[in-house]
Amino acid sequence: MSFIKKHIIKFLFGILHSEAYKKYKQQQNNNWAKTHFKAFGKQSSLPETYWIKNPQYISIGDNFSSLFNLRLETWDRFYGKSFQPEIHIGNNVNFNSDVHIGAIDKISIGNNVLMASRIYISDHYHGNISAEDLDWVPAERPLSSKGPVIIEDNVWIGEGVCILPGVTIGENSIIGANSVVNKSFPKNSVIAGIPAKLIKTLEK
């Protein structure tokens, strides 16, 4: 590679990784969100890298932030079956990296929720976990939901948590790292484990 080519590549690399370019890219992402999401609140921002499916069914409140690799999916059709999906995220919500949320029904996240990295939240399954499912390869099994996922205000969700369909997490609760949550818990709960169990109840 010639001396000039090396310096051109170095120059372009510097631009792409500069703070000014990152701010420009983030502003472009935010402008896209404001025109495509059902709602996108004040002082909210998308990360530099994200994957969004059907943003018209997604509402985000004020002061939302996320680190890289945000993935939000709402499925309104899958192999000929129709759904009415909704993802609602409240005010002052903060995600770390690699948060994946998928809906065919409803996922509601309250205000002041804090999420760590590598979190998966879904209101549906591929199939019904039955013998009839064996007639289909996994990727083609019909999507089914056991109900919405509701995460109330002031919930703190630790690293690597998985929250499954039909679950409500009460306000002020804390979910320990790497937990799999397959049932609902009341407010002020500290939960952890696979499956998640009540560790203690927070009291003032």
Side-chain angles (χ1 to χ4, degrees), residues 17 153-154 190:
H17 289 80
D153 295 347
N154 306 316
V190 178

Side-chain angles (χ1 to χ4, degrees), residues 106-174:
K106 178 180 179 181
I107 294 177
S108 177
I109 297 170
N111 300 322
N112 309 308
V113 171
L114 175 64
M115 295 192 192
S117 302
R118 298 182 296 104
I119 290 169
Y120 175 64
I121 302 171
S122 178
D123 66 5
H124 62 280
Y125 300 102
H126 274 285
N128 296 300
I129 315 178
S130 63
E132 287 75 17
D133 285 344
L134 299 178
D135 294 332
W136 306 79
V137 298
E140 296 178 2
R141 290 172 187 168
L143 300 183
S144 61
S145 177
K146 290 186 177 180
V149 174
I150 309 296
I151 298 170
E152 296 182 351
D153 295 347
N154 306 316
V155 171
W156 174 22
I157 303 175
E159 193 89 0
V161 167
C162 177
I163 300 176
L164 299 176
V167 165
T168 295
I169 304 296
E171 62 181 336
N172 305 317
S173 292
I174 299 171

Side-chain angles (χ1 to χ4, degrees), residues 51-88:
W51 194 87
I52 310 291
K53 183 175 180 64
N54 290 324
Q56 67 269 28
Y57 305 119
I58 301 172
S59 301
I60 293 180
D62 297 338
N63 302 311
F64 169 80
S65 67
S66 172
L67 292 184
F68 52 85
N69 298 339
L70 174 65
R71 182 175 168 187
L72 302 177
E73 301 173 347
T74 57
W75 294 85
D76 54 3
R77 289 188 64 81
F78 186 81
Y79 279 88
K81 189 174 181 180
S82 297
F83 306 99
Q84 294 181 312
E86 176 185 353
I87 294 175
H88 174 81

